[in-house]
Amino acid sequence: MKYVDEFRDPQLIRNVAGEIARSVDPNHEYRIMEVCGGHTHAIYRHGLQDVLPENLRLVHGPGCPVCVLPTGRVDDGLSIAEHPGVILTAFGDMMRVPGTRGTPLELKARGADIRMVYSPLDALRLAQNEPTKHVCFFAIGFETTAPSTALTLLRAKALGVRNFSIFCNHVTIVPAIRAILESPDMRLDGFIGPGHVSTVSGCRPYEFIARDYGKPVVVAGFEPLDLLEAILMVVRQLNAKEAKVENQYRRIVPWEGNMPALRAMSDVFELRPYFEWRGLGFISQSALKLLPAYAAWDAEVQFEIPGVRVTDPRAAQCGEVLKGVLRPPQCKLFGKECNPEHPVGALMVSSEGACAAYYRYVRYEDDAANAQPVTS
Protein backbone atom coordinates (compact mmCIF):
# COMPACT_ATOMS: atom_id res chain seq x y z
CA MET A 1 0.00 0.00 0.00
CA LYS A 2 1.46 3.32 -1.01
CA TYR A 3 2.39 5.62 1.89
CA VAL A 4 1.95 2.88 4.52
CA ASP A 5 3.87 -0.29 3.75
CA GLU A 6 7.04 1.51 2.72
CA PHE A 7 7.06 3.30 6.07
CA ARG A 8 6.81 -0.02 7.94
CA ASP A 9 9.53 -1.85 6.04
CA PRO A 10 11.48 -3.86 8.68
CA GLN A 11 14.85 -3.54 6.96
CA LEU A 12 14.54 0.22 6.51
CA ILE A 13 13.50 0.54 10.15
CA ARG A 14 16.53 -1.47 11.27
CA ASN A 15 18.78 0.68 9.09
CA VAL A 16 17.54 3.96 10.58
CA ALA A 17 17.57 2.57 14.13
CA GLY A 18 21.18 1.50 13.57
CA GLU A 19 22.06 4.97 12.28
CA ILE A 20 20.53 6.52 15.39
CA ALA A 21 22.57 4.19 17.59
CA ARG A 22 25.77 5.10 15.74
CA SER A 23 24.98 8.83 15.84
CA VAL A 24 24.26 9.37 19.53
CA ASP A 25 27.03 10.51 21.83
CA PRO A 26 27.30 7.85 24.56
CA ASN A 27 28.29 10.56 27.04
CA HIS A 28 25.14 12.61 26.51
CA GLU A 29 21.51 11.92 27.44
CA TYR A 30 19.14 13.05 24.71
CA ARG A 31 15.68 14.19 25.81
CA ILE A 32 13.32 14.70 22.89
CA MET A 33 9.65 15.60 23.35
CA GLU A 34 7.06 14.23 20.94
CA VAL A 35 4.41 16.95 21.18
CA CYS A 36 1.56 14.98 19.62
CA GLY A 37 -0.40 12.32 21.47
CA GLY A 38 -0.77 10.42 18.20
CA HIS A 39 3.01 10.12 18.10
CA THR A 40 3.06 8.79 21.67
CA HIS A 41 0.56 6.12 20.76
CA ALA A 42 2.46 5.18 17.55
CA ILE A 43 5.79 4.97 19.39
CA TYR A 44 4.48 2.42 21.87
CA ARG A 45 2.17 0.58 19.49
CA HIS A 46 5.14 -0.17 17.25
CA GLY A 47 7.61 -0.71 20.10
CA LEU A 48 9.97 1.99 18.83
CA GLN A 49 11.30 2.75 22.30
CA ASP A 50 12.86 -0.72 22.28
CA VAL A 51 15.10 0.04 19.28
CA LEU A 52 16.41 3.35 20.65
CA PRO A 53 19.64 3.75 22.62
CA GLU A 54 19.23 3.85 26.40
CA ASN A 55 20.57 7.40 26.56
CA LEU A 56 17.87 8.70 24.18
CA ARG A 57 14.65 9.36 26.05
CA LEU A 58 11.35 10.35 24.49
CA VAL A 59 9.31 12.73 26.63
CA HIS A 60 5.56 12.93 26.10
CA GLY A 61 4.05 16.34 25.42
CA PRO A 62 0.66 18.04 25.74
CA GLY A 63 -0.65 17.27 22.25
CA CYS A 64 -3.83 15.43 23.19
CA PRO A 65 -6.84 17.81 23.30
CA VAL A 66 -8.87 15.63 25.64
CA CYS A 67 -5.92 15.34 28.03
CA VAL A 68 -5.34 19.09 28.39
CA LEU A 69 -9.01 20.00 28.93
CA PRO A 70 -9.43 20.99 32.59
CA THR A 71 -12.15 19.43 34.70
CA GLY A 72 -13.95 22.74 35.06
CA ARG A 73 -14.54 22.96 31.30
CA VAL A 74 -15.96 19.41 31.32
CA ASP A 75 -18.36 20.50 34.04
CA ASP A 76 -19.27 23.60 32.04
CA GLY A 77 -20.11 21.51 28.98
CA LEU A 78 -22.18 19.06 31.00
CA SER A 79 -24.13 21.93 32.54
CA ILE A 80 -25.40 22.79 29.04
CA ALA A 81 -26.83 19.28 28.71
CA GLU A 82 -28.92 19.84 31.84
CA HIS A 83 -30.97 22.59 30.17
CA PRO A 84 -34.44 21.41 29.05
CA GLY A 85 -34.70 20.63 25.34
CA VAL A 86 -30.93 20.53 24.77
CA ILE A 87 -29.05 17.78 22.96
CA LEU A 88 -25.34 17.90 23.77
CA THR A 89 -23.12 16.26 21.14
CA ALA A 90 -19.44 15.34 21.40
CA PHE A 91 -16.71 13.24 19.85
CA GLY A 92 -16.34 9.71 21.22
CA ASP A 93 -13.15 10.42 23.16
CA MET A 94 -14.97 13.09 25.18
CA MET A 95 -17.69 10.72 26.32
CA ARG A 96 -15.61 9.10 29.08
CA VAL A 97 -13.75 12.16 30.36
CA PRO A 98 -14.70 12.67 34.01
CA GLY A 99 -16.04 15.91 35.42
CA THR A 100 -16.76 16.37 39.09
CA ARG A 101 -20.23 14.83 38.69
CA GLY A 102 -19.31 12.07 36.30
CA THR A 103 -18.59 11.62 32.61
CA PRO A 104 -20.86 12.56 29.70
CA LEU A 105 -21.76 8.86 29.42
CA GLU A 106 -22.73 8.73 33.09
CA LEU A 107 -24.80 11.90 32.78
CA LYS A 108 -26.48 10.37 29.71
CA ALA A 109 -27.32 7.29 31.81
CA ARG A 110 -28.97 9.60 34.33
CA GLY A 111 -31.28 10.97 31.65
CA ALA A 112 -29.46 13.80 29.86
CA ASP A 113 -29.69 13.79 26.06
CA ILE A 114 -26.01 13.44 25.14
CA ARG A 115 -25.04 11.91 21.81
CA MET A 116 -21.76 10.94 20.18
CA VAL A 117 -21.04 12.37 16.73
CA TYR A 118 -18.19 11.86 14.28
CA SER A 119 -18.04 15.47 13.11
CA PRO A 120 -19.57 18.87 13.88
CA LEU A 121 -21.49 18.53 10.62
CA ASP A 122 -23.27 15.51 12.15
CA ALA A 123 -24.35 17.78 15.00
CA LEU A 124 -25.59 20.41 12.55
CA ARG A 125 -27.60 17.80 10.63
CA LEU A 126 -29.09 16.65 13.94
CA ALA A 127 -30.19 20.24 14.63
CA GLN A 128 -31.86 20.38 11.21
CA ASN A 129 -33.65 17.09 11.90
CA GLU A 130 -34.71 18.12 15.44
CA PRO A 131 -36.11 21.65 14.98
CA THR A 132 -37.85 21.63 18.38
CA LYS A 133 -34.57 20.92 20.19
CA HIS A 134 -31.36 22.91 20.60
CA VAL A 135 -28.23 20.99 19.59
CA CYS A 136 -24.91 22.04 21.11
CA PHE A 137 -21.58 20.66 19.90
CA PHE A 138 -18.82 20.26 22.53
CA ALA A 139 -15.92 21.35 20.34
CA ILE A 140 -12.40 20.30 21.34
CA GLY A 141 -9.12 19.90 19.52
CA PHE A 142 -6.09 21.75 18.22
CA GLU A 143 -5.70 23.29 14.78
CA THR A 144 -6.42 19.82 13.41
CA THR A 145 -10.14 19.92 14.15
CA ALA A 146 -10.80 23.65 14.46
CA PRO A 147 -11.28 24.10 10.67
CA SER A 148 -14.15 21.58 10.62
CA THR A 149 -15.87 23.50 13.41
CA ALA A 150 -15.32 26.76 11.51
CA LEU A 151 -16.74 25.36 8.27
CA THR A 152 -19.76 23.98 10.16
CA LEU A 153 -20.47 27.38 11.65
CA LEU A 154 -20.18 29.02 8.25
CA ARG A 155 -22.70 26.50 6.93
CA ALA A 156 -25.05 26.96 9.91
CA LYS A 157 -25.05 30.71 9.31
CA ALA A 158 -25.58 30.31 5.58
CA LEU A 159 -28.49 27.92 6.15
CA GLY A 160 -29.96 30.03 8.95
CA VAL A 161 -29.96 27.15 11.45
CA ARG A 162 -30.51 28.88 14.81
CA ASN A 163 -31.15 25.88 17.08
CA PHE A 164 -27.45 25.00 16.94
CA SER A 165 -24.49 26.20 18.98
CA ILE A 166 -20.82 25.52 19.66
CA PHE A 167 -19.22 25.17 23.10
CA CYS A 168 -15.76 26.13 21.90
CA ASN A 169 -12.71 24.55 23.55
CA HIS A 170 -10.31 24.63 20.62
CA VAL A 171 -6.72 25.30 21.66
CA THR A 172 -3.55 26.16 19.79
CA ILE A 173 -0.30 24.28 20.23
CA VAL A 174 2.35 26.99 19.92
CA PRO A 175 1.59 28.85 23.21
CA ALA A 176 1.64 25.52 25.06
CA ILE A 177 5.08 24.69 23.66
CA ARG A 178 6.30 28.13 24.67
CA ALA A 179 4.96 27.57 28.21
CA ILE A 180 6.82 24.26 28.41
CA LEU A 181 10.04 25.85 27.18
CA GLU A 182 9.77 28.54 29.84
CA SER A 183 9.01 26.08 32.64
CA PRO A 184 11.89 25.82 35.13
CA ASP A 185 11.21 22.06 35.37
CA MET A 186 12.05 21.32 31.78
CA ARG A 187 15.31 19.91 30.42
CA LEU A 188 14.61 19.17 26.75
CA ASP A 189 17.04 18.96 23.85
CA GLY A 190 14.60 19.01 20.94
CA PHE A 191 11.11 18.37 19.64
CA ILE A 192 9.29 16.06 17.28
CA GLY A 193 6.73 18.49 15.89
CA PRO A 194 3.05 17.48 15.71
CA GLY A 195 2.02 15.91 12.42
CA HIS A 196 -1.73 16.44 12.47
CA VAL A 197 -1.66 20.06 13.67
CA SER A 198 1.02 20.91 11.12
CA THR A 199 -1.16 19.77 8.22
CA VAL A 200 -3.16 22.92 8.99
CA SER A 201 -0.66 25.30 10.60
CA GLY A 202 2.43 24.32 8.56
CA CYS A 203 5.97 24.46 9.94
CA ARG A 204 6.62 28.19 10.11
CA PRO A 205 4.93 28.70 13.55
CA TYR A 206 7.69 26.58 15.16
CA GLU A 207 10.55 28.76 13.98
CA PHE A 208 10.63 30.64 17.31
CA ILE A 209 11.60 27.38 19.06
CA ALA A 210 14.83 27.18 17.10
CA ARG A 211 15.44 30.92 16.93
CA ASP A 212 14.61 31.95 20.51
CA TYR A 213 15.29 28.76 22.49
CA GLY A 214 17.97 27.03 20.41
CA LYS A 215 16.03 23.73 20.18
CA PRO A 216 15.67 21.73 16.95
CA VAL A 217 12.20 20.79 15.71
CA VAL A 218 11.38 18.09 13.15
CA VAL A 219 7.74 17.70 12.09
CA ALA A 220 7.03 13.98 11.70
CA GLY A 221 4.45 11.56 10.37
CA PHE A 222 2.95 8.65 12.26
CA GLU A 223 4.50 5.53 10.76
CA PRO A 224 7.53 3.85 12.38
CA LEU A 225 9.95 5.04 9.73
CA ASP A 226 8.58 8.60 9.97
CA LEU A 227 9.28 8.78 13.68
CA LEU A 228 12.72 7.16 13.55
CA GLU A 229 13.78 9.45 10.70
CA ALA A 230 12.60 12.46 12.71
CA ILE A 231 14.54 11.30 15.77
CA LEU A 232 17.66 10.86 13.64
CA MET A 233 17.21 14.35 12.16
CA VAL A 234 16.94 15.85 15.66
CA VAL A 235 20.03 13.93 16.83
CA ARG A 236 22.03 15.11 13.82
CA GLN A 237 21.09 18.72 14.54
CA LEU A 238 22.08 18.34 18.18
CA ASN A 239 25.40 16.75 17.25
CA ALA A 240 26.09 19.60 14.83
CA LYS A 241 24.98 22.13 17.50
CA GLU A 242 22.32 23.40 15.11
CA ALA A 243 18.73 24.45 15.80
CA LYS A 244 16.30 24.70 12.92
CA VAL A 245 12.87 23.51 11.85
CA GLU A 246 12.78 20.58 9.44
CA ASN A 247 9.83 18.84 7.83
CA GLN A 248 10.06 15.05 7.71
CA TYR A 249 6.33 14.83 6.87
CA ARG A 250 6.67 16.65 3.55
CA ARG A 251 4.27 14.28 1.78
CA ILE A 252 1.42 15.71 3.89
CA VAL A 253 2.53 18.93 5.60
CA PRO A 254 2.93 22.14 3.54
CA TRP A 255 5.52 24.49 5.03
CA GLU A 256 3.13 27.46 4.97
CA GLY A 257 0.10 25.44 6.11
CA ASN A 258 -3.33 24.79 4.64
CA MET A 259 -4.46 28.24 3.54
CA PRO A 260 -8.19 27.50 3.00
CA ALA A 261 -8.39 25.92 6.46
CA LEU A 262 -6.56 28.84 8.07
CA ARG A 263 -8.86 31.31 6.31
CA ALA A 264 -11.96 29.47 7.58
CA MET A 265 -10.58 29.65 11.12
CA SER A 266 -9.84 33.37 10.86
CA ASP A 267 -13.39 33.98 9.53
CA VAL A 268 -14.95 32.44 12.64
CA PHE A 269 -12.51 32.50 15.59
CA GLU A 270 -10.46 34.94 17.58
CA LEU A 271 -7.94 34.27 20.34
CA ARG A 272 -9.06 34.24 23.96
CA PRO A 273 -7.02 36.45 26.30
CA TYR A 274 -6.19 33.34 28.33
CA PHE A 275 -7.34 29.74 28.76
CA GLU A 276 -6.70 27.09 31.39
CA TRP A 277 -4.82 23.94 30.38
CA ARG A 278 -4.81 20.87 32.58
CA GLY A 279 -1.38 20.67 34.20
CA LEU A 280 -0.07 23.83 32.57
CA GLY A 281 -2.36 26.41 34.16
CA PHE A 282 -3.55 29.55 32.40
CA ILE A 283 -1.76 30.31 29.13
CA SER A 284 -2.37 33.60 27.36
CA GLN A 285 -3.77 33.56 23.82
CA SER A 286 -3.71 29.76 23.71
CA ALA A 287 -7.34 29.04 22.78
CA LEU A 288 -10.03 30.13 20.35
CA LYS A 289 -13.46 31.65 20.87
CA LEU A 290 -16.17 32.58 18.41
CA LEU A 291 -16.15 36.06 16.93
CA PRO A 292 -19.01 38.34 18.09
CA ALA A 293 -20.61 37.92 14.67
CA TYR A 294 -21.32 34.30 15.67
CA ALA A 295 -22.76 35.06 19.12
CA ALA A 296 -26.08 33.50 18.07
CA TRP A 297 -24.24 30.18 17.74
CA ASP A 298 -21.97 30.61 20.79
CA ALA A 299 -23.04 28.37 23.67
CA GLU A 300 -21.13 30.55 26.13
CA VAL A 301 -23.41 33.43 25.13
CA GLN A 302 -26.64 31.45 24.77
CA PHE A 303 -26.33 29.51 28.07
CA GLU A 304 -25.31 30.41 31.59
CA ILE A 305 -22.00 28.61 32.11
CA PRO A 306 -20.81 28.05 35.72
CA GLY A 307 -17.17 28.75 34.83
CA VAL A 308 -15.88 27.35 38.12
CA ARG A 309 -12.24 26.29 38.26
CA VAL A 310 -11.88 22.74 39.55
CA THR A 311 -8.70 21.39 41.09
CA ASP A 312 -7.66 17.95 39.88
CA PRO A 313 -7.48 15.10 42.43
CA ARG A 314 -4.39 15.73 44.55
CA ALA A 315 -3.00 12.24 44.06
CA ALA A 316 -3.30 12.37 40.27
CA GLN A 317 -0.16 13.79 38.65
CA CYS A 318 -1.49 14.49 35.17
CA GLY A 319 0.18 17.89 35.07
CA GLU A 320 3.65 16.55 35.76
CA VAL A 321 3.18 13.86 33.10
CA LEU A 322 1.90 16.42 30.56
CA LYS A 323 4.96 18.59 31.11
CA GLY A 324 7.28 15.60 30.83
CA VAL A 325 8.50 15.96 34.40
CA LEU A 326 7.22 12.48 35.28
CA ARG A 327 6.71 9.38 33.21
CA PRO A 328 3.24 7.77 33.51
CA PRO A 329 4.34 4.85 35.73
CA GLN A 330 5.72 7.35 38.23
CA CYS A 331 2.21 8.69 38.97
CA LYS A 332 0.99 7.30 42.28
CA LEU A 333 -2.34 6.23 40.76
CA PHE A 334 -1.08 4.70 37.50
CA GLY A 335 -2.40 1.19 36.92
CA LYS A 336 -4.07 1.12 40.34
CA GLU A 337 -6.88 3.56 41.09
CA CYS A 338 -6.41 5.03 37.60
CA ASN A 339 -6.79 2.61 34.71
CA PRO A 340 -8.69 2.61 31.39
CA GLU A 341 -11.80 1.10 32.98
CA HIS A 342 -11.83 3.69 35.78
CA PRO A 343 -9.77 6.68 34.63
CA VAL A 344 -9.09 9.32 37.26
CA GLY A 345 -7.24 11.61 34.88
CA ALA A 346 -7.81 12.45 31.23
CA LEU A 347 -4.43 11.04 30.20
CA MET A 348 -5.84 7.58 30.89
CA VAL A 349 -9.09 8.23 29.01
CA SER A 350 -8.00 9.25 25.56
CA SER A 351 -6.48 6.77 23.12
CA GLU A 352 -3.82 9.44 22.53
CA GLY A 353 -3.12 9.93 26.23
CA ALA A 354 0.38 9.07 27.41
CA CYS A 355 -0.90 7.04 30.38
CA ALA A 356 -3.28 5.02 28.20
CA ALA A 357 -0.42 4.23 25.78
CA TYR A 358 1.85 3.13 28.62
CA TYR A 359 -0.90 1.05 30.23
CA ARG A 360 -1.74 -0.71 27.00
CA TYR A 361 1.75 -1.37 25.66
CA VAL A 362 4.52 -1.07 28.23
CA ARG A 363 3.31 -1.03 31.80
CA TYR A 364 4.43 -4.59 32.42
CA GLU A 365 7.92 -3.80 31.16
CA ASP A 366 8.45 -0.55 33.01
CA ASP A 367 9.50 -0.74 36.63
CA ALA A 368 7.97 2.33 38.19
CA ALA A 369 10.12 1.92 41.27
CA ASN A 370 13.25 2.27 39.16
CA ALA A 371 11.99 4.96 36.80
CA GLN A 372 13.59 8.34 37.43
CA PRO A 373 12.06 11.76 36.90
CA VAL A 374 13.09 13.45 33.67
CA THR A 375 14.58 16.32 35.61
CA SER A 376 16.77 14.16 37.86
Side-chain angles (χ1 to χ4, degrees):
M1 183 184 295
K2 190 178 182 182
Y3 295 141
V4 175
D5 290 349
E6 58 268 52
F7 291 95
R8 297 182 180 183
D9 183 284
Q11 187 56 53
L12 292 176
I13 290 170
R14 281 192 288 270
N15 291 346
V16 178
E19 186 62 28
I20 293 172
R22 289 187 293 274
S23 298
V24 298
D25 178 352
N27 298 313
H28 178 72
E29 182 174 2
Y30 297 78
R31 291 165 173 165
I32 301 172
M33 172 174 278
E34 84 272 7
V35 175
C36 179
H39 282 157
T40 303
H41 188 79
I43 286 164
Y44 289 104
R45 176 158 50 93
H46 295 293
L48 299 185
Q49 77 283 357
D50 295 335
V51 303
L52 296 175
E54 290 186 358
N55 61 329
L56 195 157
R57 174 172 292 183
L58 296 176
V59 181
H60 317 304
C64 168
V66 170
C67 300
V68 299
L69 191 67
T71 304
R73 291 296 287 186
V74 179
D75 283 353
D76 287 345
L78 294 182
S79 74
I80 296 172
E82 294 174 325
H83 285 76
V86 169
I87 302 173
L88 181 68
T89 59
F91 290 139
D93 54 358
M94 265 304 305
M95 298 297 281
R96 295 178 59 246
V97 179
T100 57
R101 293 181 292 118
T103 68
L105 274 180
E106 290 168 341
L107 194 63
K108 178 182 175 69
R110 294 199 291 268
D113 196 345
I114 301 177
R115 306 186 194 183
M116 188 185 79
V117 293
Y118 292 99
S119 78
L121 280 174
D122 288 345
L124 178 59
R125 280 190 286 269
L126 180 61
Q128 291 174 287
N129 294 332
E130 298 271 5
T132 62
K133 302 278 188 176
H134 182 96
V135 177
C136 177
F137 176 62
F138 196 134
I140 64 166
F142 290 91
E143 289 89 340
T144 317
T145 54
S148 63
T149 301
L151 291 169
T152 300
L153 274 169
L154 291 170
R155 178 170 294 186
K157 186 175 184 180
L159 295 174
V161 180
R162 303 302 293 265
N163 64 325
F164 175 71
S165 63
I166 298 288
F167 179 50
C168 185
N169 295 277
H170 287 299
V171 291
T172 60
I173 194 66
V174 166
I177 296 176
R178 189 185 294 276
I180 288 171
L181 284 164
E182 294 181 353
S183 169
D185 296 331
M186 292 309 300
R187 301 290 185 274
L188 291 172
D189 295 305
F191 290 87
I192 299 174
H196 290 144
V197 165
S198 303
T199 61
V200 174
S201 65
C203 299
R204 193 173 295 282
Y206 311 125
E207 289 177 342
F208 80 96
I209 301 172
R211 182 187 63 242
D212 300 341
Y213 297 90
K215 308 292 184 186
V217 181
V218 177
V219 175
F222 294 86
E223 297 299 330
L225 200 56
D226 287 321
L227 286 159
L228 291 177
E229 283 182 350
I231 292 168
L232 179 58
M233 292 163 75
V234 172
V235 168
R236 283 174 170 167
Q237 284 197 50
L238 292 171
N239 290 346
K241 299 189 184 307
E242 293 179 341
K244 56 188 178 183
V245 181
E246 295 184 286
N247 185 9
Q248 186 279 334
Y249 206 21
R250 291 184 301 276
R251 68 186 184 279
I252 300 293
V253 173
W255 186 269
E256 299 291 345
N258 183 323
M259 291 303 169
L262 292 172
R263 278 196 295 272
M265 290 171 61
S266 66
D267 286 344
V268 168
F269 298 122
E270 62 181 349
L271 287 171
R272 295 177 186 268
Y274 55 87
F275 192 76
E276 184 184 6
W277 292 56
R278 184 188 294 261
L280 299 178
F282 287 92
I283 303 176
S284 64
Q285 298 190 320
S286 64
L288 304 174
K289 60 179 292 190
L290 303 191
L291 286 166
Y294 290 88
W297 293 272
D298 188 344
E300 292 179 79
V301 175
Q302 299 302 319
F303 296 96
E304 185 175 347
I305 306 292
V308 177
R309 191 182 183 195
V310 178
T311 304
D312 286 332
R314 183 172 297 180
Q317 295 173 287
C318 300
E320 286 84 354
V321 175
L322 274 171
K323 289 186 290 187
V325 177
L326 295 179
R327 305 180 75 179
Q330 293 176 300
C331 175
K332 298 170 185 174
L333 304 185
F334 177 82
K336 307 179 186 76
E337 293 91 339
C338 187
N339 58 68
E341 294 300 318
H342 300 285
V344 176
L347 279 70
M348 190 63 87
V349 176
S350 169
S351 60
E352 293 189 349
C355 293
Y358 261 78
Y359 188 92
R360 182 170 184 181
Y361 296 113
V362 295
R363 70 189 176 100
Y364 297 111
E365 302 171 7
D366 203 333
D367 182 352
N370 293 327
Q372 296 299 314
V374 174
T375 52
S376 64

